[in-house]
Amino acid sequence: MMGTLKTEPARARLDLLAAPVAEALAQWPADAPVDVNDVLVAPIDAELADTAAFCAAYEVGLDVSANCVVVAGKREGVVRYAACIVLATTRADVNGVARRALDVRKASFAPMADAVELTGMEYGGITPIGLPAQWPILVDARVVATPHVIIGSGVRHSKIALPGPALGALPGAQVVEGLARPA
């Protein structure tokens, strides 16, 4: 499942995490359905952080690699943001399911500069762990049904491996049937 990645507990390698991710792991609830020690991290080559290149280089299947995309839409002049977590074999239904969840007329991928500034994470490494508390985290049901997934770590030089159900249990997470469509 984790291909050739060399994983270790994420809390032991804060140097491999963006600051908001490290803070979220430090505050991981003791009663969470997934123990914080089951959240693993592995260093990777930052040049291989993009999904297709990463999966090929580290022998990780697209079916266990999850992407976190930041979407935005306006309502009454206020921009609303959400994160969509989908498997790499699928694409987020941004202007259907995600738009309705944000309760906006039109949703689109958030501009890169906004996503980076608002999350405190690197583009290409944004992860649902440690996102702004007011953002909904929309998790496609297929992600939660996957025993273990690989996601970003907030930086491009590492990846997080954790049980798929953990993503549906994050603060602000909503498991959504049909959030993603086959790619």
Side-chain angles (χ1 to χ4, degrees):
M1 188 288 302
M2 294 184 213
T4 60
L5 294 175
K6 306 280 189 258
T7 60
E8 54 192 299
R11 290 196 314 173
R13 290 298 308 269
L14 300 181
D15 60 307
L16 295 176
L17 306 171
V21 178
E23 290 171 28
L25 291 176
Q27 298 170 12
W28 197 267
D31 63 347
V34 174
D35 188 270
V36 70
N37 293 321
D38 290 335
V39 179
L40 307 174
V41 69
I44 66 164
D45 180 337
E47 297 297 315
L48 299 171
D50 293 331
T51 304
F54 162 76
C55 288
Y58 293 95
E59 301 174 15
V60 172
L62 289 170
D63 61 331
V64 296
S65 183
N67 292 320
C68 178
V69 295
V70 178
V71 296
K74 275 189 183 176
R75 174 116 182 160
E76 299 171 0
V78 176
V79 179
R80 298 177 179 190
Y81 294 93
C84 296
I85 316 306
V86 299
L87 293 175
T89 55
T90 65
R91 297 285 171 247
D93 182 2
V94 174
N95 250 323
V97 178
R99 176 189 58 77
R100 286 190 296 277
L102 275 174
D103 192 25
V104 295
R105 263 179 208 225
K106 181 182 175 203
S108 59
F109 295 108
M112 177 176 57
D114 293 351
V116 168
E117 180 182 343
L118 295 170
T119 64
M121 300 180 200
E122 295 177 4
Y123 192 75
I126 294 175
T127 187
I129 300 171
L131 289 175
Q134 67 274 21
W135 288 14
I137 300 171
L138 309 175
V139 185
D140 186 69
R142 286 172 272 217
V143 174
V144 176
T146 304
H148 288 88
V149 294
I150 306 291
I151 59 171
S153 62
V155 294
R156 291 182 61 87
H157 63 272
S158 67
K159 293 285 186 180
I160 288 177
L162 76 169
L167 296 172
L170 290 172
Q174 304 165 32
V175 177
V176 181
E177 289 287 341
L179 174 61
R181 297 180 178 167

